[in-house]
Short mmCIF file of all heavy atoms in Angstrom, two decimals:
data_model
loop_
_atom_site.label_atom_id
_atom_site.label_comp_id
_atom_site.label_asym_id
_atom_site.label_seq_id
_atom_site.Cartn_x
_atom_site.Cartn_y
_atom_site.Cartn_z
N MET A 1 -46.87 -29.24 -18.12
CA MET A 1 -45.76 -30.03 -18.67
C MET A 1 -44.51 -29.80 -17.83
O MET A 1 -44.23 -28.67 -17.42
CB MET A 1 -45.51 -29.58 -20.12
CG MET A 1 -44.47 -30.38 -20.84
SD MET A 1 -43.92 -29.51 -22.31
CE MET A 1 -42.47 -30.43 -22.68
N SER A 2 -43.76 -30.87 -17.57
CA SER A 2 -42.53 -30.70 -16.81
C SER A 2 -41.51 -29.90 -17.63
O SER A 2 -41.54 -29.91 -18.86
CB SER A 2 -41.96 -32.06 -16.44
OG SER A 2 -41.70 -32.80 -17.60
N GLN A 3 -40.64 -29.24 -16.94
CA GLN A 3 -39.70 -28.33 -17.58
C GLN A 3 -38.67 -29.08 -18.43
O GLN A 3 -38.00 -29.98 -17.95
CB GLN A 3 -38.99 -27.53 -16.48
CG GLN A 3 -38.42 -26.23 -16.95
CD GLN A 3 -39.49 -25.22 -17.36
OE1 GLN A 3 -40.61 -25.27 -16.86
NE2 GLN A 3 -39.17 -24.33 -18.26
N ASN A 4 -38.57 -28.70 -19.68
CA ASN A 4 -37.54 -29.28 -20.54
C ASN A 4 -36.45 -28.26 -20.75
O ASN A 4 -36.68 -27.22 -21.36
CB ASN A 4 -38.12 -29.69 -21.90
CG ASN A 4 -37.03 -30.05 -22.88
OD1 ASN A 4 -36.03 -30.66 -22.50
ND2 ASN A 4 -37.18 -29.66 -24.12
N THR A 5 -35.27 -28.58 -20.27
CA THR A 5 -34.16 -27.62 -20.41
C THR A 5 -33.19 -28.03 -21.52
O THR A 5 -32.27 -27.30 -21.82
CB THR A 5 -33.39 -27.49 -19.09
OG1 THR A 5 -32.95 -28.79 -18.69
CG2 THR A 5 -34.26 -26.89 -18.02
N ASP A 6 -33.42 -29.21 -22.10
CA ASP A 6 -32.54 -29.69 -23.17
C ASP A 6 -32.71 -28.90 -24.46
O ASP A 6 -33.83 -28.57 -24.85
CB ASP A 6 -32.88 -31.15 -23.51
CG ASP A 6 -32.14 -32.13 -22.62
OD1 ASP A 6 -31.47 -31.66 -21.67
OD2 ASP A 6 -32.25 -33.32 -22.87
N PHE A 7 -31.59 -28.68 -25.09
CA PHE A 7 -31.62 -28.09 -26.42
C PHE A 7 -31.12 -29.12 -27.43
O PHE A 7 -30.37 -30.02 -27.07
CB PHE A 7 -30.69 -26.87 -26.49
CG PHE A 7 -31.24 -25.66 -25.80
CD1 PHE A 7 -31.12 -25.52 -24.42
CD2 PHE A 7 -31.86 -24.66 -26.53
CE1 PHE A 7 -31.63 -24.41 -23.78
CE2 PHE A 7 -32.36 -23.54 -25.88
CZ PHE A 7 -32.25 -23.42 -24.51
N PHE A 8 -31.53 -28.97 -28.67
CA PHE A 8 -30.90 -29.75 -29.73
C PHE A 8 -30.38 -28.75 -30.77
O PHE A 8 -30.87 -27.62 -30.87
CB PHE A 8 -31.86 -30.77 -30.35
CG PHE A 8 -33.16 -30.21 -30.83
CD1 PHE A 8 -33.29 -29.77 -32.14
CD2 PHE A 8 -34.24 -30.13 -29.98
CE1 PHE A 8 -34.50 -29.26 -32.60
CE2 PHE A 8 -35.45 -29.61 -30.43
CZ PHE A 8 -35.57 -29.17 -31.74
N VAL A 9 -29.37 -29.19 -31.49
CA VAL A 9 -28.70 -28.31 -32.45
C VAL A 9 -28.81 -28.94 -33.83
O VAL A 9 -28.59 -30.15 -33.99
CB VAL A 9 -27.21 -28.14 -32.07
CG1 VAL A 9 -26.48 -27.30 -33.10
CG2 VAL A 9 -27.07 -27.53 -30.69
N ILE A 10 -29.14 -28.13 -34.80
CA ILE A 10 -29.20 -28.59 -36.18
C ILE A 10 -28.30 -27.70 -37.01
O ILE A 10 -28.45 -26.47 -37.01
CB ILE A 10 -30.64 -28.53 -36.72
CG1 ILE A 10 -31.53 -29.44 -35.86
CG2 ILE A 10 -30.70 -28.94 -38.19
CD1 ILE A 10 -32.98 -29.19 -36.03
N LYS A 11 -27.34 -28.32 -37.68
CA LYS A 11 -26.45 -27.56 -38.56
C LYS A 11 -26.66 -28.00 -40.00
O LYS A 11 -26.51 -29.20 -40.32
CB LYS A 11 -24.99 -27.77 -38.16
CG LYS A 11 -24.04 -26.99 -39.06
CD LYS A 11 -22.59 -27.18 -38.69
CE LYS A 11 -21.71 -26.43 -39.69
NZ LYS A 11 -20.30 -26.66 -39.44
N ALA A 12 -27.02 -27.08 -40.85
CA ALA A 12 -27.30 -27.40 -42.25
C ALA A 12 -25.99 -27.66 -43.01
O ALA A 12 -25.04 -26.89 -42.90
CB ALA A 12 -28.06 -26.26 -42.90
N LEU A 13 -25.96 -28.76 -43.76
CA LEU A 13 -24.80 -29.10 -44.58
C LEU A 13 -25.04 -28.73 -46.04
O LEU A 13 -24.16 -28.91 -46.87
CB LEU A 13 -24.49 -30.59 -44.46
CG LEU A 13 -24.13 -31.11 -43.06
CD1 LEU A 13 -23.88 -32.61 -43.10
CD2 LEU A 13 -22.91 -30.39 -42.52
N GLU A 14 -26.21 -28.24 -46.36
CA GLU A 14 -26.53 -27.77 -47.70
C GLU A 14 -27.56 -26.65 -47.59
O GLU A 14 -28.18 -26.47 -46.53
CB GLU A 14 -27.06 -28.92 -48.58
CG GLU A 14 -28.39 -29.48 -48.10
CD GLU A 14 -28.91 -30.62 -48.98
OE1 GLU A 14 -28.23 -31.04 -49.91
OE2 GLU A 14 -30.04 -31.08 -48.69
N ASP A 15 -27.77 -25.96 -48.68
CA ASP A 15 -28.80 -24.91 -48.69
C ASP A 15 -30.18 -25.55 -48.66
O ASP A 15 -30.39 -26.63 -49.22
CB ASP A 15 -28.68 -24.05 -49.95
CG ASP A 15 -27.47 -23.13 -49.94
OD1 ASP A 15 -26.85 -22.98 -48.86
OD2 ASP A 15 -27.15 -22.59 -51.00
N GLY A 16 -31.10 -24.89 -48.05
CA GLY A 16 -32.51 -25.30 -48.12
C GLY A 16 -32.90 -26.44 -47.21
O GLY A 16 -33.88 -27.13 -47.47
N VAL A 17 -32.17 -26.63 -46.11
CA VAL A 17 -32.58 -27.64 -45.13
C VAL A 17 -33.82 -27.11 -44.38
O VAL A 17 -33.86 -25.95 -43.99
CB VAL A 17 -31.44 -27.94 -44.12
CG1 VAL A 17 -31.92 -28.80 -42.97
CG2 VAL A 17 -30.28 -28.61 -44.84
N ASN A 18 -34.81 -27.96 -44.24
CA ASN A 18 -36.02 -27.55 -43.54
C ASN A 18 -36.13 -28.21 -42.18
O ASN A 18 -35.96 -29.42 -42.06
CB ASN A 18 -37.26 -27.93 -44.37
CG ASN A 18 -37.61 -26.84 -45.34
OD1 ASN A 18 -38.04 -25.77 -44.94
ND2 ASN A 18 -37.38 -27.10 -46.62
N VAL A 19 -36.41 -27.39 -41.18
CA VAL A 19 -36.65 -27.88 -39.83
C VAL A 19 -38.12 -27.61 -39.54
O VAL A 19 -38.55 -26.45 -39.52
CB VAL A 19 -35.77 -27.15 -38.80
CG1 VAL A 19 -36.04 -27.67 -37.40
CG2 VAL A 19 -34.30 -27.27 -39.16
N ILE A 20 -38.86 -28.67 -39.41
CA ILE A 20 -40.32 -28.54 -39.31
C ILE A 20 -40.77 -28.96 -37.91
O ILE A 20 -40.46 -30.07 -37.46
CB ILE A 20 -40.99 -29.44 -40.37
CG1 ILE A 20 -40.52 -29.01 -41.77
CG2 ILE A 20 -42.50 -29.38 -40.26
CD1 ILE A 20 -40.69 -30.07 -42.83
N GLY A 21 -41.46 -28.07 -37.24
CA GLY A 21 -41.98 -28.37 -35.90
C GLY A 21 -43.38 -28.94 -36.00
O GLY A 21 -44.21 -28.44 -36.74
N LEU A 22 -43.61 -30.01 -35.24
CA LEU A 22 -44.95 -30.63 -35.21
C LEU A 22 -45.57 -30.43 -33.84
O LEU A 22 -44.89 -30.49 -32.81
CB LEU A 22 -44.83 -32.12 -35.54
CG LEU A 22 -44.40 -32.38 -36.98
CD1 LEU A 22 -42.98 -32.85 -37.04
CD2 LEU A 22 -45.29 -33.38 -37.63
N THR A 23 -46.86 -30.23 -33.85
CA THR A 23 -47.57 -29.85 -32.62
C THR A 23 -47.68 -31.00 -31.62
O THR A 23 -47.79 -32.17 -32.00
CB THR A 23 -48.99 -29.36 -32.94
OG1 THR A 23 -49.68 -30.38 -33.69
CG2 THR A 23 -48.97 -28.09 -33.74
N ARG A 24 -47.70 -30.62 -30.38
CA ARG A 24 -47.95 -31.57 -29.29
C ARG A 24 -49.45 -31.81 -29.17
O ARG A 24 -50.24 -30.92 -29.48
CB ARG A 24 -47.40 -30.98 -27.98
CG ARG A 24 -47.39 -31.95 -26.82
CD ARG A 24 -46.72 -31.34 -25.60
NE ARG A 24 -45.29 -31.06 -25.81
CZ ARG A 24 -44.34 -32.00 -25.78
NH1 ARG A 24 -44.64 -33.26 -25.55
NH2 ARG A 24 -43.07 -31.66 -25.97
N GLY A 25 -49.84 -32.98 -28.70
CA GLY A 25 -51.25 -33.25 -28.46
C GLY A 25 -51.85 -34.21 -29.45
O GLY A 25 -51.13 -34.80 -30.27
N SER A 26 -53.16 -34.36 -29.41
CA SER A 26 -53.84 -35.38 -30.22
C SER A 26 -53.82 -35.05 -31.71
O SER A 26 -53.91 -35.92 -32.56
CB SER A 26 -55.28 -35.56 -29.74
OG SER A 26 -55.90 -34.32 -29.64
N ASP A 27 -53.69 -33.77 -32.00
CA ASP A 27 -53.62 -33.30 -33.38
C ASP A 27 -52.16 -33.07 -33.76
O ASP A 27 -51.55 -32.14 -33.24
CB ASP A 27 -54.36 -31.96 -33.43
CG ASP A 27 -55.34 -31.90 -34.56
OD1 ASP A 27 -55.80 -32.96 -35.01
OD2 ASP A 27 -55.65 -30.76 -34.96
N THR A 28 -51.61 -33.89 -34.63
CA THR A 28 -50.20 -33.70 -35.01
C THR A 28 -50.13 -32.96 -36.32
O THR A 28 -50.44 -33.51 -37.37
CB THR A 28 -49.49 -35.05 -35.12
OG1 THR A 28 -49.69 -35.76 -33.91
CG2 THR A 28 -48.01 -34.88 -35.36
N LYS A 29 -49.73 -31.69 -36.23
CA LYS A 29 -49.67 -30.86 -37.43
C LYS A 29 -48.37 -30.11 -37.52
O LYS A 29 -47.76 -29.81 -36.50
CB LYS A 29 -50.80 -29.82 -37.39
CG LYS A 29 -52.16 -30.43 -37.55
CD LYS A 29 -53.17 -29.34 -37.81
CE LYS A 29 -54.51 -29.96 -38.21
NZ LYS A 29 -55.63 -29.12 -37.84
N PHE A 30 -47.98 -29.76 -38.75
CA PHE A 30 -46.84 -28.86 -38.93
C PHE A 30 -47.26 -27.50 -38.40
O PHE A 30 -48.35 -27.03 -38.69
CB PHE A 30 -46.53 -28.67 -40.43
CG PHE A 30 -45.89 -29.84 -41.11
CD1 PHE A 30 -45.86 -31.10 -40.54
CD2 PHE A 30 -45.30 -29.68 -42.35
CE1 PHE A 30 -45.27 -32.18 -41.20
CE2 PHE A 30 -44.69 -30.74 -43.01
CZ PHE A 30 -44.68 -31.99 -42.43
N HIS A 31 -46.42 -26.87 -37.60
CA HIS A 31 -46.76 -25.51 -37.19
C HIS A 31 -45.69 -24.50 -37.53
O HIS A 31 -45.91 -23.29 -37.50
CB HIS A 31 -47.09 -25.44 -35.69
CG HIS A 31 -45.90 -25.66 -34.80
ND1 HIS A 31 -44.93 -24.72 -34.60
CD2 HIS A 31 -45.54 -26.73 -34.06
CE1 HIS A 31 -44.02 -25.20 -33.78
NE2 HIS A 31 -44.35 -26.41 -33.44
N HIS A 32 -44.50 -24.99 -37.87
CA HIS A 32 -43.44 -24.04 -38.21
C HIS A 32 -42.43 -24.72 -39.12
O HIS A 32 -42.04 -25.85 -38.87
CB HIS A 32 -42.74 -23.56 -36.94
CG HIS A 32 -41.72 -22.49 -37.22
ND1 HIS A 32 -42.04 -21.16 -37.23
CD2 HIS A 32 -40.41 -22.57 -37.54
CE1 HIS A 32 -40.95 -20.46 -37.54
NE2 HIS A 32 -39.95 -21.29 -37.72
N SER A 33 -42.03 -24.03 -40.15
CA SER A 33 -40.99 -24.54 -41.02
C SER A 33 -39.90 -23.48 -41.12
O SER A 33 -40.17 -22.34 -41.49
CB SER A 33 -41.57 -24.84 -42.40
OG SER A 33 -40.54 -25.33 -43.23
N GLU A 34 -38.71 -23.87 -40.75
CA GLU A 34 -37.57 -22.95 -40.76
C GLU A 34 -36.60 -23.43 -41.82
O GLU A 34 -36.23 -24.61 -41.82
CB GLU A 34 -36.92 -22.99 -39.37
CG GLU A 34 -35.89 -21.95 -39.12
CD GLU A 34 -36.47 -20.55 -39.01
OE1 GLU A 34 -37.61 -20.37 -38.58
OE2 GLU A 34 -35.74 -19.61 -39.40
N LYS A 35 -36.22 -22.54 -42.70
CA LYS A 35 -35.28 -22.93 -43.76
C LYS A 35 -33.88 -22.49 -43.38
O LYS A 35 -33.66 -21.32 -43.07
CB LYS A 35 -35.69 -22.32 -45.09
CG LYS A 35 -35.23 -23.15 -46.28
CD LYS A 35 -35.60 -22.52 -47.59
CE LYS A 35 -34.38 -21.81 -48.09
NZ LYS A 35 -34.58 -20.90 -49.18
N LEU A 36 -32.96 -23.45 -43.41
CA LEU A 36 -31.56 -23.13 -43.08
C LEU A 36 -30.71 -23.28 -44.34
O LEU A 36 -30.87 -24.25 -45.08
CB LEU A 36 -31.00 -24.08 -42.02
CG LEU A 36 -31.75 -24.21 -40.69
CD1 LEU A 36 -31.02 -25.20 -39.78
CD2 LEU A 36 -31.85 -22.86 -40.01
N ASP A 37 -29.80 -22.34 -44.57
CA ASP A 37 -28.84 -22.49 -45.65
C ASP A 37 -27.54 -23.07 -45.09
O ASP A 37 -27.35 -23.12 -43.87
CB ASP A 37 -28.61 -21.15 -46.35
CG ASP A 37 -29.80 -20.78 -47.25
OD1 ASP A 37 -30.48 -21.71 -47.73
OD2 ASP A 37 -30.06 -19.58 -47.44
N LYS A 38 -26.69 -23.52 -46.01
CA LYS A 38 -25.47 -24.22 -45.62
C LYS A 38 -24.70 -23.44 -44.54
O LYS A 38 -24.46 -22.24 -44.70
CB LYS A 38 -24.58 -24.41 -46.86
CG LYS A 38 -23.39 -25.30 -46.60
CD LYS A 38 -22.66 -25.62 -47.88
CE LYS A 38 -21.49 -26.53 -47.58
NZ LYS A 38 -20.82 -26.99 -48.80
N GLY A 39 -24.34 -24.13 -43.48
CA GLY A 39 -23.57 -23.51 -42.40
C GLY A 39 -24.43 -22.86 -41.34
O GLY A 39 -23.93 -22.54 -40.26
N GLU A 40 -25.70 -22.69 -41.62
CA GLU A 40 -26.57 -22.08 -40.61
C GLU A 40 -26.92 -23.11 -39.55
O GLU A 40 -27.05 -24.31 -39.83
CB GLU A 40 -27.85 -21.53 -41.24
CG GLU A 40 -27.60 -20.27 -42.03
CD GLU A 40 -28.89 -19.60 -42.50
OE1 GLU A 40 -29.79 -20.30 -42.96
OE2 GLU A 40 -28.95 -18.36 -42.41
N ILE A 41 -27.09 -22.61 -38.35
CA ILE A 41 -27.35 -23.46 -37.19
C ILE A 41 -28.64 -23.02 -36.51
O ILE A 41 -28.89 -21.83 -36.39
CB ILE A 41 -26.16 -23.36 -36.20
CG1 ILE A 41 -24.93 -24.06 -36.79
CG2 ILE A 41 -26.50 -23.94 -34.84
CD1 ILE A 41 -23.66 -23.81 -36.03
N MET A 42 -29.41 -23.98 -36.11
CA MET A 42 -30.60 -23.67 -35.31
C MET A 42 -30.46 -24.39 -33.98
O MET A 42 -30.10 -25.58 -33.94
CB MET A 42 -31.86 -24.15 -36.04
CG MET A 42 -33.14 -23.84 -35.30
SD MET A 42 -34.55 -24.13 -36.39
CE MET A 42 -35.89 -23.98 -35.21
N ILE A 43 -30.69 -23.67 -32.92
CA ILE A 43 -30.66 -24.25 -31.57
C ILE A 43 -32.08 -24.14 -31.04
O ILE A 43 -32.66 -23.05 -31.06
CB ILE A 43 -29.68 -23.46 -30.66
CG1 ILE A 43 -28.29 -23.45 -31.29
CG2 ILE A 43 -29.63 -24.07 -29.27
CD1 ILE A 43 -27.34 -22.45 -30.65
N ALA A 44 -32.67 -25.27 -30.65
CA ALA A 44 -34.09 -25.25 -30.28
C ALA A 44 -34.37 -26.24 -29.16
O ALA A 44 -33.51 -27.04 -28.79
CB ALA A 44 -34.94 -25.58 -31.50
N GLN A 45 -35.58 -26.16 -28.66
CA GLN A 45 -36.04 -27.07 -27.60
C GLN A 45 -37.37 -27.68 -28.01
O GLN A 45 -38.08 -27.15 -28.86
CB GLN A 45 -36.30 -26.28 -26.31
CG GLN A 45 -35.06 -25.81 -25.61
CD GLN A 45 -35.42 -24.92 -24.45
OE1 GLN A 45 -36.07 -23.90 -24.62
NE2 GLN A 45 -34.99 -25.30 -23.26
N PHE A 46 -37.71 -28.78 -27.36
CA PHE A 46 -39.08 -29.27 -27.42
C PHE A 46 -39.85 -28.49 -26.36
O PHE A 46 -39.32 -28.21 -25.28
CB PHE A 46 -39.14 -30.77 -27.15
CG PHE A 46 -38.56 -31.57 -28.29
CD1 PHE A 46 -37.29 -32.11 -28.21
CD2 PHE A 46 -39.29 -31.74 -29.45
CE1 PHE A 46 -36.75 -32.80 -29.28
CE2 PHE A 46 -38.76 -32.43 -30.54
CZ PHE A 46 -37.50 -32.97 -30.44
N THR A 47 -41.04 -28.07 -26.71
CA THR A 47 -41.79 -27.16 -25.85
C THR A 47 -43.21 -27.68 -25.64
O THR A 47 -43.59 -28.73 -26.16
CB THR A 47 -41.89 -25.76 -26.51
OG1 THR A 47 -42.75 -25.88 -27.66
CG2 THR A 47 -40.54 -25.23 -26.91
N GLU A 48 -43.97 -26.87 -24.96
CA GLU A 48 -45.41 -27.10 -24.76
C GLU A 48 -46.12 -27.23 -26.12
O GLU A 48 -47.12 -27.94 -26.25
CB GLU A 48 -45.92 -25.87 -23.99
CG GLU A 48 -47.34 -25.88 -23.61
CD GLU A 48 -47.73 -24.51 -23.05
OE1 GLU A 48 -46.85 -23.68 -22.73
OE2 GLU A 48 -48.94 -24.28 -22.94
N HIS A 49 -45.60 -26.53 -27.12
CA HIS A 49 -46.25 -26.52 -28.44
C HIS A 49 -45.65 -27.51 -29.43
O HIS A 49 -46.28 -27.86 -30.41
CB HIS A 49 -46.18 -25.11 -29.05
CG HIS A 49 -46.72 -24.06 -28.15
ND1 HIS A 49 -48.06 -23.98 -27.85
CD2 HIS A 49 -46.11 -23.07 -27.47
CE1 HIS A 49 -48.25 -22.97 -27.03
NE2 HIS A 49 -47.09 -22.40 -26.77
N THR A 50 -44.41 -27.90 -29.18
CA THR A 50 -43.65 -28.71 -30.15
C THR A 50 -43.22 -30.02 -29.51
O THR A 50 -42.46 -30.02 -28.55
CB THR A 50 -42.39 -27.95 -30.61
OG1 THR A 50 -42.77 -26.66 -31.07
CG2 THR A 50 -41.65 -28.71 -31.70
N SER A 51 -43.69 -31.14 -30.07
CA SER A 51 -43.29 -32.44 -29.51
C SER A 51 -42.43 -33.25 -30.46
O SER A 51 -41.84 -34.25 -30.05
CB SER A 51 -44.51 -33.27 -29.12
OG SER A 51 -45.23 -33.62 -30.27
N ALA A 52 -42.39 -32.84 -31.71
CA ALA A 52 -41.59 -33.58 -32.68
C ALA A 52 -41.05 -32.61 -33.72
O ALA A 52 -41.63 -31.55 -33.97
CB ALA A 52 -42.44 -34.65 -33.35
N VAL A 53 -39.93 -33.01 -34.30
CA VAL A 53 -39.29 -32.17 -35.31
C VAL A 53 -38.89 -33.06 -36.48
O VAL A 53 -38.36 -34.16 -36.28
CB VAL A 53 -38.05 -31.46 -34.72
CG1 VAL A 53 -37.25 -30.76 -35.79
CG2 VAL A 53 -38.46 -30.48 -33.65
N LYS A 54 -39.17 -32.58 -37.66
CA LYS A 54 -38.77 -33.30 -38.87
C LYS A 54 -37.70 -32.46 -39.58
O LYS A 54 -37.87 -31.25 -39.74
CB LYS A 54 -40.00 -33.47 -39.74
CG LYS A 54 -39.73 -34.06 -41.11
CD LYS A 54 -41.06 -34.33 -41.80
CE LYS A 54 -40.85 -34.67 -43.25
NZ LYS A 54 -42.11 -35.06 -43.90
N VAL A 55 -36.63 -33.12 -39.95
CA VAL A 55 -35.54 -32.41 -40.64
C VAL A 55 -35.42 -32.97 -42.05
O VAL A 55 -35.22 -34.18 -42.23
CB VAL A 55 -34.20 -32.58 -39.89
CG1 VAL A 55 -33.08 -31.83 -40.61
CG2 VAL A 55 -34.32 -32.09 -38.45
N ARG A 56 -35.54 -32.11 -43.04
CA ARG A 56 -35.39 -32.52 -44.44
C ARG A 56 -34.14 -31.88 -45.01
O ARG A 56 -33.97 -30.67 -44.91
CB ARG A 56 -36.58 -32.04 -45.28
CG ARG A 56 -37.89 -32.63 -44.83
CD ARG A 56 -38.99 -32.25 -45.79
NE ARG A 56 -38.81 -32.95 -47.07
CZ ARG A 56 -39.76 -33.04 -47.98
NH1 ARG A 56 -40.91 -32.47 -47.79
NH2 ARG A 56 -39.54 -33.70 -49.09
N GLY A 57 -33.29 -32.70 -45.59
CA GLY A 57 -32.05 -32.20 -46.18
C GLY A 57 -30.86 -32.62 -45.36
O GLY A 57 -30.99 -33.20 -44.29
N LYS A 58 -29.68 -32.34 -45.91
CA LYS A 58 -28.44 -32.76 -45.25
C LYS A 58 -28.14 -31.88 -44.05
O LYS A 58 -28.00 -30.65 -44.20
CB LYS A 58 -27.27 -32.61 -46.23
CG LYS A 58 -27.06 -33.77 -47.16
CD LYS A 58 -25.71 -33.57 -47.83
CE LYS A 58 -25.43 -34.61 -48.86
NZ LYS A 58 -24.08 -34.46 -49.42
N ALA A 59 -28.02 -32.50 -42.90
CA ALA A 59 -27.76 -31.73 -41.69
C ALA A 59 -27.14 -32.62 -40.62
O ALA A 59 -27.30 -33.85 -40.65
CB ALA A 59 -29.07 -31.15 -41.16
N VAL A 60 -26.43 -31.98 -39.71
CA VAL A 60 -25.97 -32.68 -38.52
C VAL A 60 -26.90 -32.28 -37.40
O VAL A 60 -27.18 -31.09 -37.20
CB VAL A 60 -24.52 -32.26 -38.14
CG1 VAL A 60 -24.07 -33.01 -36.89
CG2 VAL A 60 -23.57 -32.52 -39.28
N ILE A 61 -27.40 -33.26 -36.68
CA ILE A 61 -28.33 -33.01 -35.59
C ILE A 61 -27.71 -33.55 -34.31
O ILE A 61 -27.36 -34.73 -34.24
CB ILE A 61 -29.67 -33.71 -35.87
CG1 ILE A 61 -30.26 -33.17 -37.18
CG2 ILE A 61 -30.65 -33.50 -34.72
CD1 ILE A 61 -31.06 -34.18 -37.94
N GLN A 62 -27.55 -32.66 -33.35
CA GLN A 62 -26.99 -33.09 -32.05
C GLN A 62 -28.09 -33.01 -31.00
O GLN A 62 -28.77 -31.99 -30.88
CB GLN A 62 -25.87 -32.15 -31.62
CG GLN A 62 -24.64 -32.23 -32.49
CD GLN A 62 -23.58 -31.23 -32.05
OE1 GLN A 62 -23.89 -30.16 -31.56
NE2 GLN A 62 -22.33 -31.60 -32.25
N THR A 63 -28.22 -34.10 -30.26
CA THR A 63 -29.17 -34.11 -29.14
C THR A 63 -28.48 -34.75 -27.94
O THR A 63 -27.36 -35.26 -28.07
CB THR A 63 -30.44 -34.94 -29.45
OG1 THR A 63 -30.09 -36.33 -29.38
CG2 THR A 63 -31.01 -34.64 -30.82
N SER A 64 -29.15 -34.77 -26.83
CA SER A 64 -28.58 -35.41 -25.64
C SER A 64 -28.46 -36.92 -25.85
O SER A 64 -27.78 -37.62 -25.10
CB SER A 64 -29.43 -35.10 -24.41
OG SER A 64 -30.75 -35.49 -24.65
N HIS A 65 -29.13 -37.44 -26.89
CA HIS A 65 -29.05 -38.87 -27.21
C HIS A 65 -27.93 -39.18 -28.18
O HIS A 65 -27.68 -40.34 -28.49
CB HIS A 65 -30.38 -39.36 -27.80
CG HIS A 65 -31.53 -39.17 -26.87
ND1 HIS A 65 -31.79 -40.03 -25.82
CD2 HIS A 65 -32.45 -38.19 -26.80
CE1 HIS A 65 -32.83 -39.58 -25.16
NE2 HIS A 65 -33.26 -38.47 -25.73
N GLY A 66 -27.28 -38.14 -28.66
CA GLY A 66 -26.17 -38.36 -29.58
C GLY A 66 -26.28 -37.47 -30.80
O GLY A 66 -27.12 -36.58 -30.86
N GLU A 67 -25.41 -37.77 -31.76
CA GLU A 67 -25.35 -36.95 -32.97
C GLU A 67 -25.69 -37.82 -34.17
O GLU A 67 -25.27 -38.99 -34.24
CB GLU A 67 -23.93 -36.40 -33.11
CG GLU A 67 -23.74 -35.58 -34.38
CD GLU A 67 -22.35 -34.96 -34.45
OE1 GLU A 67 -21.99 -34.18 -33.56
OE2 GLU A 67 -21.64 -35.26 -35.43
N ILE A 68 -26.43 -37.26 -35.09
CA ILE A 68 -26.79 -38.00 -36.29
C ILE A 68 -26.67 -37.08 -37.50
O ILE A 68 -26.96 -35.88 -37.43
CB ILE A 68 -28.19 -38.63 -36.15
CG1 ILE A 68 -28.49 -39.57 -37.30
CG2 ILE A 68 -29.27 -37.58 -36.04
CD1 ILE A 68 -29.62 -40.52 -37.01
N THR A 69 -26.21 -37.66 -38.59
CA THR A 69 -26.11 -36.90 -39.85
C THR A 69 -27.06 -37.56 -40.85
O THR A 69 -27.01 -38.77 -41.04
CB THR A 69 -24.67 -36.97 -40.41
OG1 THR A 69 -23.78 -36.49 -39.40
CG2 THR A 69 -24.53 -36.10 -41.64
N ASN A 70 -27.90 -36.78 -41.45
CA ASN A 70 -28.74 -37.35 -42.51
C ASN A 70 -28.28 -36.87 -43.88
O ASN A 70 -27.94 -35.71 -44.05
CB ASN A 70 -30.24 -37.13 -42.27
CG ASN A 70 -30.63 -35.68 -42.29
OD1 ASN A 70 -29.79 -34.81 -42.28
ND2 ASN A 70 -31.92 -35.43 -42.29
N ASN A 71 -28.22 -37.80 -44.80
CA ASN A 71 -27.69 -37.50 -46.13
C ASN A 71 -28.77 -37.65 -47.18
O ASN A 71 -29.63 -38.46 -47.05
CB ASN A 71 -26.54 -38.43 -46.46
CG ASN A 71 -25.36 -38.20 -45.54
OD1 ASN A 71 -24.75 -37.15 -45.57
ND2 ASN A 71 -25.09 -39.17 -44.71
N1 LIG B 1 -43.10 -21.40 -31.07
C1 LIG B 1 -42.47 -22.69 -31.11
C2 LIG B 1 -42.60 -23.36 -29.73
O1 LIG B 1 -42.46 -22.68 -28.73
C3 LIG B 1 -41.02 -22.51 -31.51
C4 LIG B 1 -40.23 -23.77 -31.57
C5 LIG B 1 -39.65 -24.35 -30.49
C6 LIG B 1 -39.92 -24.58 -32.71
N2 LIG B 1 -39.00 -25.49 -30.86
C7 LIG B 1 -39.13 -25.67 -32.21
C8 LIG B 1 -40.19 -24.53 -34.07
C9 LIG B 1 -38.63 -26.65 -33.06
C10 LIG B 1 -39.71 -25.51 -34.92
C11 LIG B 1 -38.93 -26.56 -34.42
O2 LIG B 1 -42.82 -24.57 -29.68
#
């Protein structure tokens, strides 16, 4: 896989925001669930193991494509 140096940032706007990593490849499965409480920030990358991320709950998500808030 080519090197991915981009990071994305997720800031929880409420308690109990879930950041769920989904596996890369033909089998798309949850492989990690990280719970963030209000004000907590997660800085992460897409990797060899992670090709998609699902965010549940109120959070600000910043990526190189822009910033989005889900309510
Ligand atoms: N072990 C995972 C990986 O290297 C860690 C990880 C990276 C992750 N990015 C993520 C987990 C995004 C959840 C969401 O792929």
Side-chain angles (χ1 to χ4, degrees):
M1 185 196 166
S2 59
Q3 203 67 27
N4 169 38
T5 56
D6 273 6
F7 285 81
F8 53 91
V9 176
I10 299 164
K11 180 180 177 184
L13 299 179
E14 65 180 3
D15 288 347
V17 170
N18 272 291
V19 180
I20 301 159
L22 293 107
T23 55
R24 189 175 295 283
S26 50
D27 228 24
T28 307
K29 290 193 171 151
F30 287 14
H31 69 74
H32 185 90
S33 180
E34 190 70 30
K35 207 182 99 193
L36 304 180
D37 285 332
K38 189 172 181 174
E40 287 189 317
I41 289 170
M42 182 169 170
I43 303 167
Q45 288 173 302
F46 290 102
T47 69
E48 183 188 346
H49 306 292
T50 307
S51 66
V53 171
K54 173 173 170 174
V55 180
R56 298 187 70 165
K58 275 192 184 184
V60 180
I61 300 148
Q62 293 177 328
T63 75
S64 55
H65 300 280
E67 177 176 301
I68 189 162
T69 304
N70 64 349
N71 295 294

